[in-house]
Amino acid sequence: MQKIPLMLAEAGMVLARDVYRNDSPMGIPICGKETVLTVALIARLDNLDVKAVYVEGHPVWTDGDHSLDDMLLDLEKRFEKVRSDPLTSKLFDIYAEHLKRSMGDDGGRKAE
Amino acid sequence: MDEKRNELKKIIMDTKTLPTLPGVINKLNSLSENDKSSVQEMAKIVSSDQVLSARILRLANSPSYGFYRVSTISNAMILLGVNVVKSLALSSSIFEIMEKNSVGLWEHSLGVGVAANLIARRLALPECEEISTAALLHDIGKVIVSLKCSEAEAQIRRTIRDQQVYMWEAEREVIDTDHAEIGGWLAKSWFLPDKLSEPIAFHHNVAQSENHRIKTAVVHIADVLIKASGFGNSGDCYVPQIQKIAWDVLKLNDQILAEVVEELEDKLVEVKNFSLELQGPDVPTS
């Protein structure tokens, strides 16, 4: 499952969660999960001001095809100047944990 | 070196050399100094400039504030406050340049706006909208450098690449000042209140912020979070060190930080959508 910006949604993708209106997130869903997106449906969601949807799999890859290992390497590179600082290295651990969770069994792609 | 710095300061304080400001701003400035003027009166003045109103409303509906349905200027004035609307009006032409010329910096700024808003709400701080606005504007000095000294900017980029330093370090080496200080000058020349100019000027050095240290600390931490997340592009890829004074003044702890990161990563998908919408349909969709 991946949360993607509606602008990157494409026909054929399958909703992994119900979609709610932005202004009533607790209200009645406007589109049920397992629905296959179509161009018309995406346009309607856009009209209803939906900004993001959850879809099955991990269809959208930013900056090319990234495996978890690549993303962790990038994270290390970004933190290379501050790894020895106790406060900032806490943040590193939180992000590493976050990446492992969001890229893990729940839809992420393993390194080949 | 000093000469360069002074020259730059002169250019910035002389607002005539900056991207044009609509005359509406002058009227707004004089009205907001007058206690008797009503929000409606001010809204009427801004609304008379349709292009400006559209730009303000677009920013007011950005994920940095989290309202989404701000449909009129007087709504924006009530929801976001006069200071915020004034700052958005003043900076709208600079944001437009950012959107066109450096999408990476625009996304970074929006991201820091969102992160600051999440932190401020999580800590139940007053004046969340002001904090988001300062965050949205925190790197505005970078746009000025690229507008006013494109040669120096190229040299700054080379320095970052060759010496692998933070952007502010490269800026100090090349132009003897940095984007935070320049942003502070700009905010002053626009007569923005201290609560907006201090976080802009001191987001890399929270200890220097005397009157609005909490707001400055939020913008600093928000900047660190977005750099850690790798969202957008602010000029260099290195995460700045979390300043202890910021951590202490906000009374942060591991749990709050982890919760904010979780919420932020979820929200950044919407920020990406907002930025893609602004860039229009020509952008590749993969």
Side-chain angles (χ1 to χ4, degrees), chain B residues 168-194:
Chain B
W168 56 267
E169 291 177 310
E171 287 167 340
R172 287 205 190 138
E173 192 180 310
V174 178
I175 50 175
D176 203 28
T177 175
D178 62 48
H179 63 270
E181 190 178 29
I182 295 172
W185 292 339
L186 185 66
K188 281 251 151 53
S189 78
W190 283 346
F191 302 105
L192 293 187
D194 284 356

Side-chain angles (χ1 to χ4, degrees), chain A:
Chain A
M1 181 172 70
Q2 184 186 17
K3 186 180 181 187
I4 60 167
L6 189 69
M7 289 290 284
L8 296 184
E10 283 174 21
M13 290 179 180
V14 181
L15 289 178
R17 281 195 194 172
D18 294 346
V19 178
Y20 295 89
R21 289 182 73 116
N22 237 329
D23 49 4
S24 73
M26 297 302 186
I28 303 166
I30 47 180
C31 197
K33 66 176 182 188
E34 291 169 22
T35 306
V36 181
L37 291 177
T38 61
V39 173
L41 188 55
I42 295 168
R44 290 190 64 184
L45 292 177
D46 189 33
N47 278 337
L48 289 165
D49 243 3
V50 171
K51 309 287 180 197
V53 288
Y54 289 88
V55 291
E56 297 285 0
H58 207 120
V60 175
W61 296 85
T62 45
D63 308 318
D65 258 18
H66 271 192
S67 67
L68 175 60
D69 290 348
D70 289 339
M71 289 175 100
L72 287 173
L73 275 179
D74 283 350
L75 187 71
E76 268 171 40
K77 169 105 180 94
R78 293 200 292 274
F79 274 81
E80 69 177 27
K81 289 179 183 292
V82 288
R83 280 303 289 281
S84 60
D85 173 65
L87 287 179
T88 322
S89 65
K90 281 179 203 245
L91 184 62
F92 176 87
D93 294 340
I94 290 173
Y95 261 101
E97 209 32 58
H98 172 84
L99 282 179
K100 284 178 198 153
R101 242 191 352 263
S102 64
M103 297 288 292
D105 302 333
D106 168 5
R109 183 186 298 188
K110 298 269 172 11
E112 316 237 324

Side-chain angles (χ1 to χ4, degrees), chain B:
Chain B
M1 277 297 193
D2 239 11
E3 235 173 75
K4 234 178 193 168
R5 184 169 180 270
N6 288 335
E7 198 185 316
L8 200 61
K9 188 165 183 180
K10 219 162 75 192
I11 292 173
I12 292 176
M13 296 312 255
D14 176 11
T15 41
K16 282 190 211 93
T17 65
L18 287 171
T20 47
L21 287 179
V24 166
I25 304 293
N26 292 333
K27 286 191 210 158
L28 198 62
N29 259 335
S30 56
L31 263 190
S32 59
E33 278 156 22
N34 177 356
D35 293 341
K36 284 186 192 132
S37 55
S38 70
V39 165
Q40 264 70 25
E41 240 177 304
M42 285 190 244
K44 209 168 152 190
I45 288 177
V46 177
S47 309
S48 69
D49 184 330
Q50 291 187 10
V51 176
L52 182 68
S53 306
R55 286 193 205 156
I56 293 174
L57 287 177
R58 210 170 57 182
L59 287 166
N61 283 297
S62 78
S64 297
Y65 298 102
F67 288 116
Y68 293 123
R69 290 261 169 126
V70 187
S71 50
T72 65
I73 292 291
S74 62
N75 261 344
M77 292 237 176
I78 292 161
L79 284 170
L80 305 175
V82 175
N83 272 329
V84 171
V85 173
K86 205 174 89 178
S87 320
L88 294 182
L90 285 161
S91 51
S92 67
S93 44
I94 293 195
F95 278 135
E96 196 165 85
I97 295 165
M98 227 195 258
E99 275 170 45
K100 278 196 199 116
N101 302 348
S102 45
V103 177
L105 183 60
W106 169 237
E107 288 185 344
H108 169 76
S109 303
L110 280 171
V112 176
V114 170
N117 195 263
L118 289 178
I119 298 168
R121 287 186 194 283
R122 176 67 179 72
L123 301 176
L125 299 176
E127 304 185 306
C128 288
E129 282 69 42
E130 253 107 350
I131 296 175
S132 304
T133 307
L136 210 49
L137 295 174
H138 79 287
D139 270 350
I140 208 158
K142 290 182 183 169
V143 186
I144 303 297
V145 174
S146 78
L147 275 180
K148 296 293 162 196
C149 3
S150 48
E151 262 173 50
E153 197 216 8
Q155 204 182 331
I156 290 167
R157 293 203 181 279
R158 275 197 299 276
T159 308
I160 295 170
R161 202 188 49 220
D162 298 344
Q163 299 177 21
Q164 306 192 336
V165 289
Y166 290 112
M167 190 163 200
W168 56 267
E169 291 177 310
E171 287 167 340
R172 287 205 190 138
E173 192 180 310
V174 178
I175 50 175
D176 203 28
T177 175
D178 62 48
H179 63 270
E181 190 178 29
I182 295 172
W185 292 339
L186 185 66
K188 281 251 151 53
S189 78
W190 283 346
F191 302 105
L192 293 187
D194 284 356
K195 55 185 165 188
L196 291 172
S197 68
E198 270 196 21
I200 296 173
F202 304 128
H203 69 272
H204 288 302
N205 192 351
V206 178
Q208 278 190 336
S209 175
E210 285 176 356
N211 304 317
H212 299 282
R213 192 167 284 169
I214 290 185
K215 290 188 173 65
T216 307
V218 174
V219 175
H220 164 70
I221 301 281
D223 188 31
V224 175
L225 290 185
I226 292 298
K227 304 270 299 211
S229 153
F231 189 81
N233 177 359
S234 66
D236 67 63
C237 66
Y238 306 111
V239 177
Q241 184 175 330
I242 294 180
Q243 292 174 8
K244 178 129 192 344
I245 189 170
W247 181 273
D248 290 343
V249 82
L250 297 177
K251 302 189 184 79
L252 288 177
N253 59 42
D254 297 19
Q255 197 198 338
I256 296 179
L257 196 62
E259 283 169 18
V260 169
V261 165
E262 204 61 35
E263 212 179 328
L264 175 64
E265 285 299 311
D266 191 58
K267 198 91 184 165
L268 284 178
V269 180
E270 287 176 32
V271 180
K272 188 78 195 168
N273 194 60
F274 182 76
S275 155
L276 287 170
E277 274 176 359
L278 291 184
Q279 289 162 50
D282 313 332
V283 187
T285 52
S286 63

